[in-house]
Amino acid sequence: YTYWTDFLFQAMFAATAATIVSGAVAERMKLGAFMVFTVIYVGVFYPIIGSWKWGAGWLDELGFYDFAGSTLVHSVGGWAALVAVWLLGSRIGKFKKDGSIGVIPGHNMPFATAGVFLLWLGWFGFNGGSVLSADPGATSLVLVTTSIAAASGGLSAFLVSLFKYKQYDLSMFLNGVLGGLVGITAGADLMSVTDSIIIGFIAGALIVLGVALIDKLKLDDPVGAIAVHLICGVWGTLAVGIFGDLAGWTQFGYQAIGVVAVGATCLI
């Protein structure tokens, strides 16, 4: 672990925060405008917020914990996605005049499935690399908790969606996997196998409920980015105070302070 590996790692995290927003604004934002936003958000807001914890800033001194970015990466992107979706408005046909919600399915679900499995694999670098060493015990634990939470999230989203809508929904399963990954990211190094299953399962359920809530609010999020990255990012951050090695009311309070501070800053 060196200065340059830290630079490269943080650059990838910053890029991730921006790409989260790209999914939420798909089909409604010009590339040039998005690039201007990306330069400002990644160049100014992400470094400031990230330094509060990972740069030995005030959140770090407070006791806030975020192992690999449920808040510092995912909710940072999720808050921006929420604002962008609200400002841009919905796609034609999403919300009909009679008040019903139009379903605009993805054009290629096999590609979407392949993309999610690539993300699942990539998360081993995202979380596993956050150990910041090649320690076999710590790294292998993180890889296991990460994968288990992903599987649990996918299963939960599938089951909750089936119960709620009475149909098999591949997109919910895929977003459930991502929700489980986002949810475990804040405390992947602190959790047991059982903790990971529970965190992922709750994250998967939150995906289904979160997507429904976003629709009810008349916000058009084509890929469910807000539910995945914002809602599950907040959940994963708070879960550090509920499960694992740091669980307790004091730690839960620290986690809540971090969630509110980051959210308020991003909304500015």
Side-chain angles (χ1 to χ4, degrees):
Y1 177 67
T2 69
Y3 170 87
W4 291 113
T5 53
D6 182 56
F7 170 81
L8 182 63
F9 213 52
Q10 287 297 330
M12 296 303 100
F13 275 26
T16 299
T19 57
I20 289 167
V21 185
S22 69
V25 302
E27 302 182 8
R28 287 170 294 165
M29 193 170 184
K30 291 183 177 180
L31 180 61
F34 179 75
M35 294 308 297
V36 170
F37 155 79
T38 299
V39 169
I40 296 172
Y41 206 59
V42 171
V44 178
F45 286 90
Y46 176 81
I48 291 174
I49 294 171
S51 69
W52 291 348
K53 167 60 184 174
W54 292 333
W58 72 274
L59 279 180
D60 188 55
E61 293 179 359
L62 177 69
F64 174 79
Y65 195 83
D66 191 352
F67 174 65
S70 285
T71 281
L72 299 178
V73 177
H74 294 282
S75 79
V76 166
W79 286 115
L82 177 63
V83 173
V85 165
W86 175 67
L87 289 173
L88 289 173
S90 62
R91 293 167 293 171
I92 296 173
K94 177 62 178 178
F95 301 111
K96 300 179 181 179
K97 293 181 179 180
D98 62 2
S100 63
I101 299 172
V103 177
I104 306 177
H107 77 286
N108 194 315
M109 293 310 296
F111 277 4
T113 304
V116 167
F117 279 103
L118 285 172
L119 283 169
W120 191 338
L121 176 64
W123 229 280
F124 293 145
F126 196 92
N127 283 5
S130 291
V131 175
L132 304 180
S133 76
D135 178 84
T139 302
S140 58
L141 172 65
V142 167
L143 297 181
V144 169
T145 58
T146 297
S147 192
I148 287 176
S152 181
L155 178 62
S156 172
F158 173 78
L159 292 176
V160 173
S161 177
L162 178 61
F163 176 79
K164 184 176 176 62
Y165 299 111
K166 304 297 187 287
Q167 63 181 6
Y168 301 141
D169 192 331
L170 176 60
S171 66
M172 284 296 186
F173 167 76
L174 296 175
N175 272 344
V177 169
L178 297 179
L181 289 166
V182 172
I184 197 63
T185 290
D189 61 328
L190 304 173
M191 303 302 170
S192 68
V193 169
T194 303
D195 294 333
S196 303
I197 293 172
I198 297 171
I199 290 171
F201 202 85
I202 293 174
L206 288 174
I207 289 296
V208 181
L209 300 177
V211 169
L213 174 62
I214 296 301
D215 282 344
K216 283 186 177 180
L217 294 174
K218 302 298 182 182
L219 297 173
D220 185 9
D221 180 1
V223 299
I226 297 171
V228 170
H229 299 281
L230 176 54
I231 294 176
C232 290
V234 170
W235 158 240
T237 303
L238 296 177
V240 172
I242 304 173
F243 304 96
D245 298 344
L246 298 180
W249 284 111
T250 300
Q251 188 63 43
F252 185 86
Y254 296 154
Q255 300 303 105
I257 290 171
V259 167
V260 172
V262 170
T265 304
C266 291
L267 290 175
I268 291 174

